[in-house]
Amino acid sequence: MHKKLYASLLIAFGLAMAAIIFFKRQGAPALPEPKNRIGQLALGGEWANTKAAMGGLLAKLRADPTDQKSRLLLAEAYMQEGRITGNHPYYDAAAMQLLQEVLKANPESFEALCCQASLSLTQHHFSQGLALAEQAQAINPNSGYVYGLLTDANVELGHYDQAVKMADKMNQVRPDLTAYARVSYLREIHGDVPGAIQAMDMAVKAGFAGLEQTEWSRVALGHLYEVSGHLDQAQGYYQQALALRPNYAYALAGLARVAAAHQDYATAIADLNLARATVKDYAFTDELVDVYRLNKQPAEAAKMAQESVAMLAEAAQQANDNEELGHYTDRELAYAYLKTGDLDKALEHAKIEYARRPDNIDVNETLAWVYYKRGEYAEAQKYMQVARRTNSQNPVLLCRAGLILSKTGQAAEGRALIEKAVKVAPYLNPEVTAEGENLLAAR
């Protein structure tokens, strides 16, 4: 009798323990911890303050796992940390986990839907980002933030008329740094560079000096001067951003481009390597390819080209493995493969990106240029016509368009575009400029 009772108690105890373990496993996943910054980003008071703020939010969540406000704030902090450090694979996944928990508790959380939309746009999941932003808009149609998300999504999908409407709405509801920056970009892609400069200047003045968003806008303002042929002004804004936010990678990259334009390749290489050591962004590696080639260092250029492909291919594979999380990089991969001479891979990835967003002018420019490099000029012209439909005056776009026209029986128009591009900013893309100058010299 006692043996049977003892056996029954053991079984009951075992079942209870199994249930505890099972339900523990089924509970909320462990809270993602922040990663320590490394190198220059760890210096100064910003990281200490950021780490303390994130630590405080984690402490609140450990004390009260139902505190969805703190969970949402932590997700936002992680998204910003991913932007600052470039460590998107970790912080995007961490933010997504937190946001999904918030939305599980409250599927109508406007803030969480906006954050998830922003995260999707960061990862180039533009259709998903648009759908989430529209869902958030239906909940709160009076938020300027959601109209910013709708602007971004429509721009990336090539719905430019709708993007303009959303940007106008954002500026009516909440005119601030982010609203002015979006107006600037829309003016730029529609060919109004002076208007773009004016709006980005307003964005900079609306921000707090030294904050990442403000200095990003200052660098963007410098880049507008860079693409319009005013290198001195561009350099001034890059230097100012670097003074206000020491070791800011995107300001360093801007100064590197200015140095390369002045044929100071040693400085350009040093600045880009410092930017690479500070923030994980393939663009710095990609820019090094061009500078090493200009500096007659083909082995280093080839090494950087292969590294760019590897970085982008890894991100693309992560996106293919997880539809909800991962950074689509096919457009960037197309250009990276062009630099390694793999034209088939370049075309493959350009087509993948085109299938996602066939109306976007940048995607059409990419596909046009890949076809041009393959010698398929009629196909190139078909896509370049779409790429130019907003009247963008970007010199690289104009030079590429001119080269394609010159190969499709429209030599005079092609030469005019090449001459304009080379006159304004010959330093923007050395390879494209060299092809344009060779064609002009052959006249």
Side-chain angles (χ1 to χ4, degrees):
M1 178 73 177
H2 289 293
K3 287 183 179 180
K4 287 182 180 180
L5 179 60
Y6 181 69
S8 298
L9 288 171
L10 280 178
I11 292 170
F13 178 76
L15 289 171
M17 290 302 298
I20 290 169
I21 293 170
F22 174 80
F23 285 113
K24 186 174 181 180
R25 286 176 179 170
Q26 296 299 308
L31 290 168
E33 301 278 344
K35 299 274 189 182
N36 279 323
R37 291 187 189 178
I38 59 174
Q40 301 293 331
L41 287 177
L43 303 178
E46 182 189 82
W47 172 231
N49 293 334
T50 300
K51 185 163 61 171
M54 291 190 292
L57 292 169
L58 283 165
K60 287 183 177 181
L61 284 168
R62 292 189 187 101
D64 180 7
T66 66
D67 182 357
Q68 302 305 338
K69 182 179 179 181
S70 292
R71 184 169 278 108
L72 179 64
L73 289 172
L74 186 60
E76 291 174 341
Y78 283 172
M79 288 167 65
Q80 180 64 13
E81 193 64 13
R83 175 184 168 104
I84 290 173
T85 63
N87 189 2
H88 286 287
Y90 177 79
Y91 281 112
D92 287 359
M96 181 65 78
Q97 174 190 320
L98 295 165
L99 291 172
Q100 286 178 339
E101 290 172 31
V102 174
L103 287 168
K104 183 178 179 181
N106 179 13
E108 297 292 303
S109 170
F110 172 77
E111 293 83 1
L113 285 169
C114 283
C115 284
Q116 199 166 27
S118 179
L119 193 56
S120 294
L121 296 176
T122 297
Q123 297 174 330
H124 293 187
H125 294 221
F126 300 120
S127 295
Q128 182 182 18
L130 177 61
L132 287 164
E134 289 175 340
Q135 188 178 347
Q137 180 196 20
I139 295 170
N140 180 5
N142 299 312
S143 164
Y145 182 55
V146 77
Y147 288 108
L149 296 171
L150 289 166
T151 300
D152 296 343
N154 279 294
V155 164
E156 297 297 347
L157 292 169
H159 308 157
Y160 300 108
D161 290 344
Q162 184 67 8
V164 170
K165 291 177 183 177
M166 295 299 99
D168 286 345
K169 185 69 174 176
M170 184 183 189
N171 277 273
Q172 291 170 12
V173 175
R174 190 185 71 177
D176 62 3
L177 180 153
T178 58
Y180 299 140
R182 286 174 169 94
V183 169
S184 176
Y185 183 60
L186 283 165
R187 287 178 178 177
E188 181 189 3
I189 63 177
H190 283 91
D192 181 9
V193 177
I197 288 173
Q198 179 191 43
M200 194 61 76
D201 182 60
M202 292 171 66
V204 172
K205 290 174 179 174
F208 292 96
L211 289 183
E212 196 276 337
Q213 296 94 328
T214 306
E215 300 320 313
W216 180 92
S217 299
R218 201 183 310 276
V219 168
L221 179 57
H223 188 61
L224 285 168
Y225 279 107
E226 184 183 342
V227 300
S228 57
H230 302 289
L231 274 179
D232 289 345
Q233 289 95 324
Q235 183 177 27
Y237 283 110
Y238 297 146
Q239 288 173 336
Q240 190 177 4
L242 197 61
L244 291 165
R245 191 172 180 84
N247 302 299
Y248 189 43
Y250 298 99
L252 285 167
L255 288 172
R257 291 193 299 273
V258 172
H262 292 308
Q263 300 183 6
D264 182 2
Y265 302 127
T267 297
I269 289 167
D271 283 343
L272 284 169
N273 275 315
L274 181 54
R276 277 195 346 132
T278 305
V279 171
K280 297 177 181 179
D281 191 325
Y282 98 96
F284 306 141
T285 305
D286 180 67
E287 289 184 56
L288 272 170
V289 178
D290 295 329
V291 181
Y292 277 127
R293 284 177 178 172
L294 291 168
N295 203 37
K296 305 294 190 279
Q297 294 177 263
E300 287 297 324
K303 178 183 175 183
M304 290 297 102
Q306 291 296 337
E307 189 173 323
S308 288
V309 167
M311 292 170 69
L312 292 166
E314 181 182 1
Q317 187 59 52
Q318 289 173 349
N320 289 335
D321 291 343
N322 186 344
E323 285 296 318
E324 289 189 354
L325 196 66
H327 202 117
Y328 287 142
T329 60
D330 293 285
R331 177 171 170 263
E332 294 84 355
L333 262 173
Y335 283 120
Y337 277 120
L338 284 181
K339 290 188 178 182
T340 65
D342 193 336
L343 301 184
D344 289 340
K345 280 286 189 182
L347 181 61
E348 174 189 338
H349 287 282
K351 284 183 171 180
I352 290 172
E353 191 65 39
Y354 180 81
R356 290 193 191 107
R357 43 192 189 127
D359 297 323
N360 180 274
I361 59 172
D362 296 325
V363 174
N364 277 274
E365 179 186 358
T366 303
L367 193 51
W369 190 241
V370 171
Y371 276 123
Y372 171 84
K373 299 300 279 187
R374 293 170 64 89
E376 299 176 52
Y377 303 125
E379 282 294 293
Q381 174 58 11
K382 181 172 74 173
Y383 292 101
M384 184 54 77
Q385 283 181 317
V386 179
R388 295 186 63 201
R389 70 187 175 93
T390 63
N391 195 39
S392 170
Q393 297 301 300
N394 183 281
V396 177
L397 171 66
L398 296 182
C399 197
R400 284 175 172 155
L403 287 165
I404 291 169
L405 286 169
S406 298
K407 295 289 188 178
T408 54
Q410 301 173 75
E413 186 180 352
R415 286 179 182 277
L417 288 176
I418 294 168
E419 286 174 350
K420 182 177 182 179
V422 170
K423 180 180 179 181
V424 171
Y427 43 78
L428 284 180
N429 189 309
E431 178 199 8
V432 174
T433 297
E435 287 201 43
E437 289 176 336
N438 287 339
L439 189 145
L440 293 175
R443 180 167 13 188

